Amino acid sequence: MTDSPAVAPKPVSTPVRPSRTRLSRAEKAEVTRTRLFEAAIQIVGEQGYAGASVALITARAGVAQGTFYNYFESRQDLLDQLLPAISEQLHELIRDRVRAAPDDPIARERARLCGFFDFLEESPHLFKILSEGMVQAPVGFRRHLEMQSESYRRAMEYELRRGNLRISDPREIDILTQMLLSTREYLSGRFCYVDGQFVRPSELVVETYVKLLTGRIFA
């Protein structure tokens, strides 16, 4: 009787578990805060500030109502933070558009206006949030205006240093800044919304704006 050949035992393979990247407590908090912000923007855009209750915001964000007060002192605190947060996003988008524009002052100003229209298209709730903000969220509304004015003034001071403006008085720079901002806001209200829906304004709106900037309106 011959012995059977010895069979080597099969190695036991240890299953490789996929690595999981766990969010830190601070990261989780920021995710929750962002969800509350986004929910508030949507609800204010749909129902106005008056309809944006804490209950609706937390339900839309998918968090417990009591969690809301871990991030905001009150409903009004959140509403007053909406416009400044949106203003920062707007600034970043327009800055990217200006950097991509040709090195020409009119091209940069065209990029600012078109960038604003692009932002409205991507963020259709902004117009309602802005139009009601003066009354319903005055703190945030004032901060939004300050941020936009500061940004535009820096842009005009840049053009002044480059010799691209016909004015030099600092008071005129302030007035020019407000004129350009006001024109942008009015054009968006007049040509970007029909029955509450965003409509991309025609190129004629931009071209007429450029004519105004280059002094080609009055004979």
Side-chain angles (χ1 to χ4, degrees), residues 5 77 81 100 107 159 164 175 187 210:
D77 178 36
Q81 292 188 45
E159 301 297 356
N164 295 327
I175 295 169
L187 289 177
V210 170

Side-chain angles (χ1 to χ4, degrees), residues 147 161 185 204 217:
M147 293 171 70
R161 292 193 299 271
E185 299 290 343
L204 183 62
I217 298 295

Side-chain angles (χ1 to χ4, degrees), residues 171-216:
R171 295 171 298 177
E172 291 182 300
I173 296 293
D174 284 333
I175 295 169
L176 175 63
T177 294
Q178 297 308 315
M179 288 172 64
L180 294 175
L181 279 171
S182 299
T183 301
R184 186 180 76 177
E185 299 290 343
Y186 180 82
L187 289 177
S188 66
R190 174 63 180 81
F191 295 105
C192 290
Y193 290 89
V194 176
D195 296 329
Q197 301 297 318
F198 178 85
V199 176
R200 186 78 190 190
S202 71
E203 188 63 22
L204 183 62
V205 173
V206 178
E207 293 306 320
T208 305
Y209 179 71
V210 170
K211 284 184 178 181
L212 177 66
L213 296 178
T214 54
R216 289 160 48 205

Side-chain angles (χ1 to χ4, degrees), residues 10 18 24 44 53 60 73 76 85 96 105 126 149 213 219:
K10 294 181 179 180
S24 67
V44 173
S53 66
R60 181 72 62 91
E73 293 180 2
Q76 190 63 47
D96 291 343
L126 172 60
S149 295
L213 296 178

Side-chain angles (χ1 to χ4, degrees), residues 32-101:
T32 301
R33 188 173 187 275
T34 299
R35 285 164 59 186
L36 288 167
F37 252 116
E38 292 175 349
I41 290 172
Q42 293 171 8
I43 292 172
V44 173
E46 295 165 4
Q47 304 184 32
Y49 284 88
S53 66
V54 173
L56 283 178
I57 293 171
T58 52
R60 181 72 62 91
V63 301
Q65 190 167 338
T67 302
F68 178 90
Y69 298 99
N70 293 333
Y71 301 91
F72 304 100
E73 293 180 2
S74 63
R75 168 184 173 276
Q76 190 63 47
D77 178 36
L78 168 58
L79 297 181
D80 279 328
Q81 292 188 45
L82 287 185
L83 274 173
I86 294 173
S87 191
E88 183 62 33
Q89 296 172 2
L90 172 61
H91 170 73
E92 292 177 2
L93 183 145
I94 291 181
R95 180 186 58 193
D96 291 343
R97 296 289 193 276
V98 169
R99 286 178 174 174

